[in-house]
Amino acid sequence: MGRIALLMPVVAAMAKRAGIKDGTRAWYGLALAVGFGTFQLSATILPANVPNLVMSGAAEGAYGIHLNYLPYLLLHTPVLGWLKGALLIVLICGLFPGKPQAPRELTPPEPMSRAEKRLAWMLAVVLVMWVSESWHGIGPAWTGLAAAVITLLPRIGFISGDEFASGVNFRTCLYVAGILGLAMTVTQTGIGDAVGEALLHVMPLDPQAPFTSFLALTGITTALNFIMTANGVPALYTTLAQSFSEATGFPLLSVIMIQVLGYSTPLLPYQASPIVVAMALGKVPARAGMLLCIALALATYFVLLPLDYAWFSVLGKL
């Protein structure tokens, strides 16, 4: 949501320069591109959205599995990042056409300030630490926390205490903590096992039919998305992963990873709160958001799901 809040004014300024007016189909496409790109494509980067963090925390709490930045990126980015991004561009251009014009007057950007340069270097160091996590063993969360602390240090940092108090959404922090607590509760009380047993009798999970099992696990995630929304799905699904792994013959880590395709592909806007925020900021009608949601979901399930299964197989995850 923070990225959307930052991107929407930038996109609005770009649209104004290109002669795209508010309230037009082209503008709806730009606003939806911000929402869909920010939420759906960020699912391929481990610390980039809330559902990923919930899944990572639930996997570590329930099974002691620690997800690493680079292997996660390799597993999901080719299909759910690059190919899905290309599909999103094609659909937006087709459903929300426009005629942008070349800007006539361009104001040259001001040179970066000293603080901006220092912040850019710090972000570069953080990114290098994330990518090289498998070498040094420092988790992405600790790296990000250290960078956040540096930004708050007197004189060295970039924001004051008042700016931090007014700008940080503590409700999101409490929400993530609550979801992780829910995951542990589901695991310890046996609720996860009970739900898992019920789903095992309904879904076609068979070690002899790996593609059908892959499809069924994605379907479970999609169904849970209607009830719990994207942020809550990983908390429940991850606690059921052991039962699913035994029923399908897939490795436990692979079962946990399969859910990413499902929760990152909402069928309706309400299932992903960042998309709703982008639609509200851009004053996009609900019908336009639903149209793109359904179109991208259908394209994902019919085109990208088989490719994702093939990519999992190539990497030896199934």
Side-chain angles (χ1 to χ4, degrees), residues 3 42-43 45-61 67 72 130 140-142 172-173 176-177 179-180 183 230-231 234-235 238 260 263:
R3 288 193 297 269
S42 68
I45 302 173
L46 183 57
N49 68 13
V50 172
N52 288 3
L53 298 178
V54 173
M55 176 182 64
S56 178
E60 190 162 358
L67 303 181
Y72 185 95
W130 280 350
W142 292 110
T172 301
C173 301
V176 173
I179 288 295
L180 294 178
N231 289 347
T238 304
V260 176
Y263 71 61

Side-chain angles (χ1 to χ4, degrees), residues 199 203 215-229 233 236-237 262-263 265 267 270-271 301:
L199 291 173
M203 301 304 293
L215 185 64
L217 292 176
T218 304
I220 291 172
T221 313
T222 302
L224 292 175
N225 217 357
F226 279 95
I227 304 171
M228 306 182 68
T229 72
V233 168
L236 179 58
Y237 177 96
Y263 71 61
T265 309
L267 285 169
Y270 83 90
Q271 296 174 352
Y301 293 135

